[in-house]
């Protein structure tokens, strides 16, 4: 199985870019994690011993945990910046500049 997902992890300029990158990262980690799990099950079915397949189970679990952490980061971002995003949606632009 080949897994190819375009992933842009450049520093985001907007909230949407951040949320899109998190969604892509979450999908990629979950997809690879599930592929590793399926592959490991096939290896076990071919009678490879658990001493060999056990570490690969850790790979699967780590990738699934990584996907869950990415989902949590997304939720925390949305909650932390909810008010700012509502204000911006109402038409106020935040420039980050100090008034002179």
């Amino acid at each position: 199985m080949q897994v190819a997902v375009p992933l842009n992890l450049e520093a985001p300029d907007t909230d949407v870019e951040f949320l899109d990158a998190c969604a892509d990262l979450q999908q990629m980690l979950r997809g690879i994690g599930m592929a590793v799990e399926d592959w490991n099950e096939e290896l076990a079915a071919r009678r490879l011993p658990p001493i060999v397949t056990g570490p690969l189970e850790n790979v699967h679990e780590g990738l699934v945990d990584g996907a869950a952490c990415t989902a949590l980061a997304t939720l925390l971002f949305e909650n932390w910046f909810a008010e700012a995003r509502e204000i911006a949606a109402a038409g106020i632009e935040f420039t980050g500049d100090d008034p002179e």
Side-chain angles (χ1 to χ4, degrees), residues 18-54:
F18 174 80
L19 294 171
D20 283 347
C22 283
D24 291 346
L25 180 58
Q26 181 181 1
Q27 179 181 1
M28 183 195 71
L29 291 172
R30 184 179 289 131
I32 294 172
M34 299 308 293
V36 169
E37 180 182 43
D38 292 346
W39 183 58
N40 204 29
E41 288 174 0
E42 288 180 29
L43 296 174
R46 292 176 185 229
R47 300 181 55 134
L48 283 177
I51 191 117
V52 173
T53 59

Side-chain angles (χ1 to χ4, degrees), residues 80-94:
W80 186 266
F81 293 107
E83 185 176 355
R85 294 177 84 208
E86 288 173 9
I87 292 169
I92 299 291
E93 180 180 343
F94 289 85

